[in-house]
Structure formats: C-alpha cells, structure tokens
Amino acid sequence: MKLALEAPPLHTLTVAGRDERFPVNRVFCVGRNYAAHAREMGKDPDREPPFFFMKPAAAVVDAASTTSVPYPPKTKNYHHEIELVVAIGRGGRDIPIASALDHVYGYAVGLDMTRRDLQLEARDKGRPWEFGKSFALSAPIGSLHRAQDIGHPSAAEITLTVNGQPRQSSDIAKLIWSVSECVAYLSEYEALEPGDIIMTGTPEGVNAVVAGDVMRGEVQGLGAIEVRVTG
C-alpha cells in the first residue's frame, strides 16, 4: 500500500569507531538530577523522587557531524545544559536496578537546550514544559561510545565552556539518581525500547547563550562536542 504522505526522516547518531548508526526512538530527560542545579532552580533535591520529561526524536542533532544549532524563536533566554547521555540497546519493563546496565548500549555527551523563559513561565502556571524543552534541534548529542568498549562510567568530569570561558563543571558521580536507578525507575512507568535515549540531567551553572556563541561540552572519556549558536 502506498502511503499518502512521505514518512519523516529517521534521526540517527554516530557510533564511535564503527561504520553504523544508532536510530533514535524516544528521548527521556531526567529533571533536576544534580543537587546544586536543583538548588539553583529553587528546588530541594532531598525531597524529590526522579521525574522525567520528553523531547521528540526531531530534537536530536548529531553533533559528531553537525556543529551548529539555530537560536529558536519566541525566547529571550536560551540556556545550555550539559548532560551525560545514555542510549538503550535492549528494552524491557520493570527492570531491576541490579541488571539495568545490561540494557544500556552506550554513552555520549549531549546538550539539553532550553527556552528558559518559556519553561519557567509554564512551571509557574502549572502548565506543561513542552515549549520550553521539547522543540526541534534542542538536543545536540555527540558520538555514542558502546558500553562493551568503554564499560559503564560512574565517575567522570562533566564540563561546558562558552567562547572558551567555563560555565558548568561537575562530575557524573554527583548524579542524585544513577544511570541504573534512572533506567529501572523509568521502566516502571514505560516499557523501554531499543533506540530510546535518556538524558540524565545537568549540573549547576546553566546560563544563556546568544547567536555567535560557541559551546564546548565534554564528559571525560566520551570526547567533546562543539556547537555554535546561529542567528
């Protein structure tokens, strides 16, 4: 049967050192998963279980080959958030914490770009965050490094500079909810599928960027991405 409409493109990511692509299914993002960032957003990290929001697959930018993202419309406060990215290779529901890492295909460094003014306005009005978080080209992600090649990093420096000046600096060991806990917790609410992405949250230091700014984000052992904001 011929489709009446052309199917949308499949969004994929580079796999480090291999001639293959990782097809992106869904993008789950963990909110406020570093204590210092939770505090800078005015929240208490000690009282809150993990929560998630989503981005569309169209948010993903393969930062291994694309080095720019456009400044999005309808915002005057466009923020960077550097994150450890987890790619799911094997699906499952109600996954035990002890075996959660068996479902991880690999890891990457990524950016959760945010229209902060729209997000905070929605938050304060008790409305969904979609216009602040879930827009096209808002998730530049670098090459995926397979877990079978590098293992499962639990401590690594995570940093971001803008135009060479430091903005964010922490360690993934400071995640409130670890990768295995995030995978297990999320799978209680939604059966995970191969191709799913989990962005694990950002440390403190989030701030605005403008057209012309160059962001360089790195997670130790996973390389770096460099992304310019265009007008």
Side-chain angles (χ1 to χ4, degrees), residues 2-182:
K2 185 175 181 180
L3 295 176
L5 297 174
E6 184 177 350
L10 178 66
H11 297 272
T12 63
L13 290 169
T14 298
V15 178
R18 297 182 66 85
D19 186 22
E20 61 185 59
R21 308 285 299 177
F22 182 88
V24 175
N25 185 30
R26 299 171 294 180
V27 182
F28 297 94
C29 305
V30 188
R32 295 193 289 266
N33 202 20
Y34 287 81
H37 174 59
R39 293 187 185 100
E40 79 176 349
M41 296 302 291
K43 299 297 180 179
D44 184 347
D46 298 324
R47 297 182 179 178
E48 195 168 46
F51 71 94
F52 297 81
F53 58 92
M54 296 183 70
K55 289 178 179 279
V60 171
V61 177
D62 182 9
S65 59
T66 301
T67 58
S68 65
V69 292
Y71 194 98
K74 310 299 286 185
T75 183
K76 296 180 180 179
N77 198 17
Y78 184 44
H79 275 209
H80 56 74
E81 297 190 4
I82 187 68
E83 310 209 359
L84 172 69
V85 176
V86 179
I88 298 298
R90 180 161 65 91
R93 182 187 294 276
D94 296 323
I95 299 168
I97 291 176
S99 60
L101 296 183
D102 295 340
H103 295 257
V104 174
Y105 173 85
Y107 299 89
V109 55
L111 287 164
D112 169 16
M113 301 304 297
T114 302
R115 292 189 280 205
R116 187 72 72 200
D117 44 0
L118 301 189
Q119 180 204 12
L120 295 182
E121 180 183 8
R123 185 193 71 179
D124 293 345
K125 292 181 179 179
R127 295 175 179 175
W129 289 5
E130 269 74 7
F131 283 167
K133 287 283 192 179
S134 305
F135 53 97
L137 308 179
S138 62
I141 297 174
S143 297
L144 284 173
H145 297 257
R146 299 188 307 164
Q148 69 183 75
D149 296 330
I150 67 164
H152 298 280
S154 59
E157 187 178 16
I158 179 170
T159 60
L160 181 107
T161 63
V162 176
N163 302 327
Q165 299 302 308
R167 288 280 185 92
Q168 294 184 264
S169 180
S170 188
D171 195 290
I172 63 171
K174 295 182 179 181
L175 285 166
I176 297 172
W177 298 91
S178 68
V179 170
S180 56
E181 289 170 329
C182 289

